[in-house]
Amino acid sequence: MIQTDILIIGAGPTGLFTVFEAGLLKLRCHLIDALPQPGGQCSEIYPKKPIYDIPAYPEILAGDLTDKLLEQIKQFEPGFTLGERADTIEKQDDGTFIVTTNKGTKHQAPVVAIAGGLGSFEPRKPPIPNIANFEDKGVEYMIKEPEIYRGKDVVIAGGGDSALDWSIFLTDVAKSVTLIHRRNEFRGALDSVDKVQELKNEGKLMLITPAEVKGIIGDDKVEGVLVEQKDKEPFTLPCEHFIPLFGLSPKLGPIANWGLEIEKNAIKVNNALDYQTNVEGIYAIGDVNTYPGKLKLILCGFHEATLMCQSAYKRIHPDKKYVMKYTTVGGVDGFDGTRKEAPKAVVKAIN
């Protein structure tokens, strides 16, 4: 059983920043996310997409924002349960909650903060008739352990950042990498497109466009894919792994069955106070919540996380009074023993 002060469901920007605000209050956090790495959409869908409305950053890539947030919260030593979806929640007699994932991992906390962005993400699967028969037998919708592709023949399908980035990365790991896209144009970052073209010219990557994978060849595991290319006869391309990267579809998932008040696939909260749901002790912050005047912006999620943590502190320590101190005055003390503070002015007596 993993125990913590605030259990955060969703490790996107809002969930990560919650760790910082909670840390200032000496509250520990643990995060659950169905994705294999922190960052939510910023890491999985558009890591190289520039964001222009983060305070103090005229422009920052989504992946870099995730890195900065992870650096900011490192001293508060958050725990992570990644690659698992929060499945069930049970309220205990003592007022705490036990959240169990789809893989059976149990977590207990007096406060649950749902920061799941648009919800849990499920891969968009291509309409290939027999693809389900090969899932976990050579068909993967997300790359969790790149080393399993070492020395293998890999086919990737897709035209976005994930398809481009992983195609580039796996050229140094796999025996061969083939990228297939139904169009000649890609939707990813320009430098990634240029890098793929460069690797193709060097013979390190095969690029097939416009084309689509229409079938999978094999008995108990993937042995190849059937490719249809415009103005050409269909052909079989031998491979050991087929990775369709067509993005992720957001869904509330099991959270929709937790007894929370839902409105248009979002969780209703009390925005006049602390973004608490209709269940005391469960909060919803970031894009997953809704209230009058709601704006689905990262910076709004940061604001909501800040107020939510203040309310969580009062719930966890009802007999204590917290006096807010600005970090410029009080500094930041990490759970790892580190301290950040502004340099003190030198006081010198005048004779």
Side-chain angles (χ1 to χ4, degrees):
M1 180 84 72
I2 296 171
Q3 295 181 318
T4 190
D5 294 320
I6 301 178
L7 181 63
I8 304 168
I9 299 173
T14 297
L16 294 176
F17 187 68
T18 303
V19 176
F20 179 79
E21 288 298 321
L24 295 179
L25 301 171
K26 308 300 181 189
L27 300 177
R28 291 187 176 272
C29 295
H30 190 95
L31 301 95
I32 302 173
D33 202 296
L35 296 176
Q37 73 284 314
Q41 296 180 65
C42 287
S43 293
E44 185 65 22
I45 301 178
Y46 49 82
K48 293 188 176 181
K49 180 180 179 181
I51 303 174
Y52 301 103
D53 60 356
I54 302 300
Y57 286 101
E59 177 181 339
I60 185 170
L61 297 181
D64 291 343
L65 176 62
T66 298
D67 293 340
K68 292 290 185 182
L69 287 165
L70 288 169
E71 180 183 348
Q72 185 180 31
I73 67 175
K74 183 179 180 181
Q75 65 183 133
F76 293 124
E77 301 180 323
F80 289 92
T81 298
L82 300 174
E84 300 184 31
R85 184 188 65 240
D87 217 19
T88 63
I89 188 167
E90 301 173 89
K91 193 167 188 177
Q92 307 302 296
D93 293 338
D94 62 358
T96 63
F97 300 90
I98 292 180
V99 174
T100 306
T101 71
N102 61 318
K103 294 187 179 180
T105 307
K106 293 184 178 294
H107 311 73
Q108 186 174 24
V111 169
V112 174
I114 302 172
L118 297 174
S120 62
F121 290 95
E122 298 180 7
R124 291 192 175 97
K125 302 179 181 181
I128 299 174
N130 62 341
I131 193 168
N133 299 333
F134 294 94
E135 292 174 356
D136 298 323
K137 298 178 182 179
V139 170
E140 294 90 28
Y141 301 107
M142 289 187 288
I143 296 177
K144 298 181 181 179
E145 298 293 340
E147 277 300 312
I148 72 171
Y149 305 106
R150 185 165 295 279
K152 307 291 186 179
D153 293 311
V154 177
V155 172
I156 295 176
D161 282 313
S162 291
L164 291 164
D165 292 345
W166 281 117
S167 295
I168 293 167
F169 182 88
L170 290 179
T171 55
D172 291 328
V173 177
K175 178 181 177 182
S176 70
V177 177
T178 301
L179 176 59
I180 297 175
H181 183 40
R182 60 180 178 172
R183 298 188 181 93
N184 289 319
E185 302 79 20
F186 289 85
R187 303 183 309 277
L190 182 59
D191 61 331
S192 296
V193 176
D194 290 342
K195 182 62 177 177
V196 164
Q197 185 64 52
E198 179 184 330
L199 290 169
K200 176 194 173 185
N201 295 341
E202 294 174 354
K204 296 180 180 179
L205 180 149
M206 183 186 296
L207 182 62
I208 304 176
T209 62
E212 292 184 76
V213 174
K214 291 294 188 178
I216 300 174
I217 311 300
D219 293 322
D220 295 330
K221 60 181 181 179
V222 173
E223 297 175 10
V225 293
L226 178 65
V227 181
E228 289 187 5
Q229 189 172 12
K230 188 176 181 180
D231 300 327
K232 294 185 179 181
E233 288 294 320
F235 62 93
T236 299
L237 183 65
C239 67
E240 295 156 280
H241 290 276
F242 172 52
I243 311 170
L245 298 174
F246 297 130
L248 301 170
S249 177
K251 295 181 179 179
L252 273 181
I255 292 175
N257 302 317
W258 287 6
L260 306 175
E261 192 173 354
I262 308 296
E263 182 179 287
K264 295 181 180 178
N265 208 40
I267 303 170
K268 289 188 68 174
V269 295
N270 178 5
N271 67 304
L273 183 62
D274 53 12
Y275 306 99
Q276 195 161 197
T277 68
N278 59 302
V279 178
E280 186 178 349
I282 301 180
Y283 301 78
I285 53 178
D287 288 356
V288 76
N289 75 14
T290 186
Y291 53 81
K294 170 68 180 183
L295 293 177
K296 293 182 182 293
L297 297 173
I298 292 174
L299 60 91
C300 292
F302 290 166
H303 164 77
E304 294 165 11
T306 304
L307 297 188
M308 183 279 295
C309 285
Q310 296 289 325
S311 178
Y313 182 88
K314 294 175 184 176
R315 175 176 171 80
I316 296 170
H317 301 296
D319 299 326
K320 292 184 180 180
K321 183 178 180 180
Y322 174 73
V323 179
M324 191 187 80
K325 296 180 181 178
Y326 297 110
T327 56
T328 51
V329 176
V332 179
D333 291 305
F335 298 149
D336 58 359
T338 60
R339 176 171 174 76
K340 296 177 181 177
E341 61 180 331
K344 296 292 190 294
V346 177
V347 179
K348 184 177 180 181
I350 298 177
N351 296 323

